Amino acid sequence: MYFATRKAYAYGDYVCRASARGATCSAPAAIRASWLDEYTVDRYHEAFATDGEVTRGQLLRDRVRVTVAKGRSGGGRERLTGPDTSA
């Protein structure tokens, strides 16, 4: 997934950009960047028993990976509550 800015909005999203590679994604997805960033940092703090700022370099060094699967579809008010963390 790649970070994409949103015109007329103060936030960005991580989106599937298979088309940028000339491929077709069978299940394109997107998630608000701030939700995924917060979720990732929270899980990092739990896993490594740390607090404070977490840098992209730390996440890369520690090989942090997040799998985003399609969950709640957009359009409904439930999408405003953040990512579905039940899975």
Side-chain angles (χ1 to χ4, degrees), residues 46-58:
E46 289 175 11
F48 290 91
T50 65
D51 56 359
E53 182 181 1
V54 176
T55 66
R56 184 170 194 256
Q58 287 173 287

Side-chain angles (χ1 to χ4, degrees), residues 13-82:
D13 295 321
Y14 289 110
V15 297
C16 176
R17 291 283 192 217
S19 61
R21 297 186 315 271
T24 301
C25 184
S26 60
I31 187 169
R32 175 114 19 118
S34 59
W35 292 342
L36 186 57
D37 292 345
E38 181 180 347
Y39 175 82
T40 303
V41 170
D42 287 348
R43 299 298 85 72
Y44 184 89
H45 285 306
E46 289 175 11
F48 290 91
T50 65
D51 56 359
E53 182 181 1
V54 176
T55 66
R56 184 170 194 256
Q58 287 173 287
L59 297 174
L60 293 170
R61 179 197 67 218
D62 294 329
R63 298 176 183 232
V64 172
R65 299 290 183 267
V66 177
T67 301
V68 177
K70 290 186 92 161
R72 296 186 293 242
S73 23
R77 294 192 69 60
E78 65 275 3
R79 70 183 172 80
L80 300 175
T81 62

Side-chain angles (χ1 to χ4, degrees), residues 3-14:
F3 181 78
T5 58
R6 300 213 26 182
K7 293 179 181 177
Y9 292 94
Y11 60 87
D13 295 321
Y14 289 110

